[in-house]
Amino acid sequence: MRGFVTLLSGAPAGRPLGVRAHRGSWLGRIGVLSGIAYFLLSSSSAPQESVRQGNDAISGQQVFNNACRTCHTTKEGDNRLGPHLHKIIGRKAGSLPNYGYSSSMKGAGFVWDKEKLERFIANPDEMVPGNSMKPYGGLASADRRAKVIGFLQSLKTGQ
């Protein structure tokens, strides 16, 4: 550590700070520091992308908890006031057994995908008139809707 600090401070080991060094030693220091900077800045973006996706999932879970968890869970088979949302993408709307959907939702005739979730979370009454999502009127923020959908997509197992 002392050597690294000395390298950064400009005083070679054993030489006082005020004594000038040969120009070649500065070039060596610049080369070492440039190499360190290159290494730090050129690291793979894959770990950074993974961290960003992890942060998005956490942020999406927070939005889900604030906007959806009162009625819904993400645990398979755990139906509450609303049906569970475990693996909702790819599921036919109104199709879970052992849940009392409105006749509108049972007859909706579509399979949940990202686009349909986006539209439904924004305005359930517009997407499926006569649904049982009262008093929920929708989530106005497109960013927050995207976070919820990202969170639902990220789930590997129920919670």
Side-chain angles (χ1 to χ4, degrees):
M1 181 71 175
R2 182 179 185 274
F4 182 72
V5 171
T6 301
L7 174 70
L8 293 177
S9 72
R15 183 179 302 156
L17 185 57
V19 177
R20 292 199 131 174
H22 184 267
R23 179 173 282 223
S25 65
W26 283 106
L27 291 176
R29 286 188 188 114
I30 291 170
V32 168
L33 292 175
S34 296
I36 291 170
Y38 176 79
F39 174 75
L40 293 174
L41 295 174
S42 69
S43 62
S44 171
S45 65
Q48 294 169 0
E49 181 67 19
S50 175
V51 168
R52 186 183 63 74
Q53 288 175 348
N55 289 341
D56 287 349
I58 291 169
S59 178
Q61 182 175 14
Q62 290 171 341
V63 176
F64 176 87
N65 289 346
N66 291 332
C68 311
R69 194 175 71 178
T70 300
C71 300
H72 298 279
T73 68
T74 57
K75 184 176 180 185
E76 187 173 15
D78 188 8
N79 296 320
R80 298 195 178 171
L81 187 56
H84 74 78
L85 302 178
H86 177 76
K87 295 185 179 179
I88 188 166
I89 296 176
R91 182 194 310 158
K92 185 178 185 290
S95 67
L96 280 179
N98 303 321
Y99 184 77
Y101 290 100
S102 66
S103 58
S104 298
M105 188 59 79
K106 284 181 186 176
F110 63 83
V111 173
W112 291 111
D113 60 17
K114 289 182 353 181
E115 178 188 294
K116 289 188 177 60
L117 277 172
E118 157 70 25
R119 289 178 50 213
F120 188 77
I121 294 170
N123 189 340
D125 291 329
E126 184 178 290
M127 177 82 179
V128 182
N131 70 73
S132 299
M133 292 274 293
K134 308 294 184 265
Y136 179 81
L139 192 58
S141 166
D143 180 57
R144 293 182 62 172
R145 291 191 305 268
K147 287 178 181 180
V148 169
I149 294 167
F151 167 66
L152 293 172
Q153 283 183 297
S154 76
L155 298 174
K156 304 292 188 234
T157 59
Q159 294 181 348

